[in-house]
Amino acid sequence: NAGVTQTPKFQVLKTGQSMTLQCAQDMNHNSMYWYRQDPGMGLRLIYYSASEGTTDKGEVPNGYNVSRLNKREFSLRLESAAPSQTSVYFCASVFGANVLTFGAGSRLTVL
Amino acid sequence: AQSVTQLGSHVSVSEGALVLLRCNYSSSVPPYLFWYVQYPNQGLQLLLKYTTGATLVKGINGFEAEFKKSETSFHLTKPSAHMSDAAEYFCAVSDGEGRRALTFGSGTRLQVQP
């Protein structure tokens, strides 16, 4: 099925460990985004990529890095995980008129 | 800069009653406005959107929203709630240029009582 695929769905890390969340879309969308969702705070933008080869910071980029590997893939890396990064992470992509298509989410717990 | 305020983090209605979820926005340019719904342990899916044209927008599952520029509002309504409507609802705003991401409200959790 066409859409946005995120891996892994669940991950538990210890403080200081690193990991990469993977996101791939097969809809030929130009723009891709990473959001985090925390209770009572809605979704907050971490990083986005307007097109292949470009990335920009969003509202809450500290502690994260991203790579737009090609048009399909946009990964989010935590170099040294902290408990404050415990969250549900959503990848999304869009073409044109801002109708974002979301992945199913990746639930990350940092102990 | 844009922002979205959703009044009421939790709303509870009886099955068959009117659903009203409130959303107010601020934007320095004509906004594009969206409502998304999130069912438990799932991603977000689009309910409806306003870009230009008719200010009353109809979406999926019987929901609709009206863009009121003078009130900077985009409230979501449904005449008769169903148990399956229980979910979290997010209002979002975009500047419409297609280069920036959506700014989301904090969400409203809708509970439907039998």
Side-chain angles (χ1 to χ4, degrees):
Chain A
N1 289 341
V4 179
T5 303
Q6 292 181 231
T7 56
K9 286 186 170 36
F10 301 94
Q11 184 73 48
V12 178
L13 293 177
K14 295 181 180 178
T15 296
Q17 287 185 316
S18 62
M19 77 156 299
T20 300
L21 299 177
Q22 306 285 356
C23 175
Q25 52 91 9
D26 56 6
M27 298 172 285
N28 202 35
H29 286 172
N30 290 326
S31 302
M32 298 185 73
Y33 308 83
W34 276 105
Y35 285 89
R36 59 178 289 173
Q37 183 181 23
D38 302 291
M41 304 191 75
L43 279 78
R44 293 180 292 167
L45 182 66
I46 306 171
Y47 270 93
Y48 70 103
S49 169
S51 61
E52 184 179 353
T54 68
T55 60
D56 286 285
K57 295 179 180 180
E59 184 184 350
V60 289
N62 291 346
Y64 304 95
N65 286 301
V66 289
S67 296
R68 183 73 182 267
L69 304 170
N70 47 54
K71 191 171 187 179
R72 290 186 64 247
E73 298 172 290
F74 187 39
S75 62
L76 178 71
R77 183 161 179 83
L78 288 69
E79 292 289 353
S80 179
S84 61
Q85 294 178 304
T86 293
S87 188
V88 181
Y89 292 86
F90 286 98
C91 179
S93 68
V94 68
F95 177 80
N98 298 94
V99 180
L100 266 64
T101 301
F102 284 85
S106 299
R107 187 175 295 274
L108 175 65
T109 302
V110 183
L111 302 174
Chain B
Q2 306 149 109
S3 66
V4 176
T5 302
Q6 291 184 239
L7 296 175
S9 57
H10 289 82
V11 170
S12 183
V13 300
S14 299
E15 192 172 19
L18 172 71
V19 175
L20 171 60
L21 305 183
R22 299 179 187 274
C23 172
N24 288 88
Y25 70 92
S26 69
S27 178
S28 57
V29 297
Y32 286 9
L33 295 159
F34 304 81
W35 276 97
Y36 281 85
V37 60
Q38 184 181 33
Y39 298 101
N41 300 313
Q42 294 187 26
L44 279 74
Q45 66 184 82
L46 181 70
L47 266 182
L48 50 82
K49 65 174 181 175
Y50 168 80
T51 54
T52 58
T55 57
L56 181 63
V57 180
K58 295 187 185 301
I60 61 170
N61 301 337
F63 285 93
E64 61 183 37
E66 186 171 12
F67 169 58
K68 292 188 176 180
K69 184 178 179 180
S70 61
E71 298 177 10
T72 60
S73 69
F74 192 58
H75 302 330
L76 182 70
T77 60
K78 182 175 180 177
S80 177
H82 191 272
M83 297 296 289
S84 61
D85 295 328
E88 189 152 23
Y89 292 80
F90 293 93
C91 183
V93 64
S94 158
D95 64 11
E97 294 177 7
R99 294 191 299 273
R100 298 289 298 184
L102 299 182
T103 299
F104 285 86
S106 57
T108 298
R109 186 168 296 281
L110 176 66
Q111 205 172 17
V112 182
Q113 308 284 358

